[in-house]
Amino acid sequence: MGGDMAAERKCLGVVHATAKGYDSMVPFINKYLQGIQVLNFMDEGLINEFDKVKKLTPSVRKRFARLLETADTAGTDLILIGCTSFIPVALALRSHTETRVVTPYEAVSADVVGTYRKVALVATLQGGISPALDAITLRDAQMGTATQVEPIVMEEAFRALQDGSRETHDALIIERVGNIEGVDAVVLSQFTLADLVEPLQRVCTVPVLATM
């Protein structure tokens, strides 16, 4: 019986380009994915290379493709893209994978569109804005709505996190987002921001949503 139960256990593969994103996901995995096997696939050099050139070069795309292929051939039942900057590559490649590939924005765009007139979209890298904006735009087209989006990119917070100062990273985000006005909701556009939902909700007068 034990062998049958183990065989039925579902496996989620999560593709990362930074350990910081994984660290932010752990509490959510422990809370919501009990009984699910989670395999993590990571290439931290990807985010460093991307940050230097600010674009998805052929070299970056090839490295990510190899990482996604590893996840696809590891016996996973579902693959979640855990780094927002590489979602465009994942979307281009998912028709070539046997395992279904999903992004965090498919769910959050459904929560936003039709509910909020204007949202602030918060990221610490420019690459974290475009995929979320694309998902909201696509959902708007499907729903016949027109959600206004105010992008907020805080690269100084990313630098602090890369330097090992999570405290500075969090303080910068809370100070900037806590004072925002003129929006109906705040969307945190990266997994590395997910654990700031509760502290931000204490200082924000509008709902704070995460992509997790």
Side-chain angles (χ1 to χ4, degrees), residues 120-137:
L121 194 58
V122 182
T124 58
L125 285 173
Q126 184 62 42
I129 295 293
S130 298
L133 187 57
D134 289 346
I136 291 172
T137 300

Side-chain angles (χ1 to χ4, degrees), residues 37-205:
Q37 181 184 13
V38 178
L39 298 180
N40 294 283
F41 303 88
M42 187 181 305
D43 179 352
E44 285 201 274
L46 272 169
I47 197 66
N48 292 331
E49 186 173 349
F50 175 81
D51 185 45
K52 289 177 183 177
V53 297
K54 308 297 183 185
K55 62 181 180 179
L56 295 167
T57 62
S59 173
V60 168
R61 290 175 180 272
K62 287 179 182 178
R63 286 179 66 170
F64 185 85
R66 288 196 294 269
L67 191 61
L68 185 60
E69 182 181 13
T70 301
D72 186 35
T73 57
T76 51
D77 297 295
L78 186 71
I79 298 172
L80 173 65
I81 305 304
C83 187
T84 55
S85 297
F86 301 96
I87 285 178
V89 186
L91 294 178
L93 293 173
R94 67 178 176 182
S95 62
H96 302 289
T97 62
E98 293 187 12
T99 309
R100 183 185 174 202
V101 177
V102 297
T103 77
Y105 299 121
E106 293 165 22
V108 78
S109 63
D111 292 337
V112 167
V113 172
T115 303
Y116 304 108
R117 180 186 58 84
K118 183 177 181 179
V119 299
L121 194 58
V122 182
T124 58
L125 285 173
Q126 184 62 42
I129 295 293
S130 298
L133 187 57
D134 289 346
I136 291 172
T137 300
L138 177 60
R139 185 76 176 179
D140 271 330
Q142 294 169 343
M143 299 291 291
T145 51
T147 307
Q148 297 179 49
V149 177
E150 179 181 334
I152 298 175
V153 181
M154 299 191 61
E155 293 195 354
E156 64 274 26
F158 173 78
R159 299 275 183 271
L161 192 61
Q162 290 297 92
D163 290 341
S165 180
R166 181 83 202 196
E167 184 177 344
T168 300
H169 167 275
D170 292 357
L172 288 168
I173 299 292
I174 291 170
E175 180 180 6
R176 173 67 178 88
V177 178
N179 295 320
I180 197 168
E181 297 179 350
V183 300
D184 304 309
V186 172
V187 178
L188 304 180
S189 187
Q190 292 166 260
F191 283 159
T192 49
L193 304 176
D195 53 1
L196 289 178
V197 171
E198 291 186 9
L200 279 172
Q201 196 61 82
R202 290 195 289 268
V203 296
C204 288
T205 57

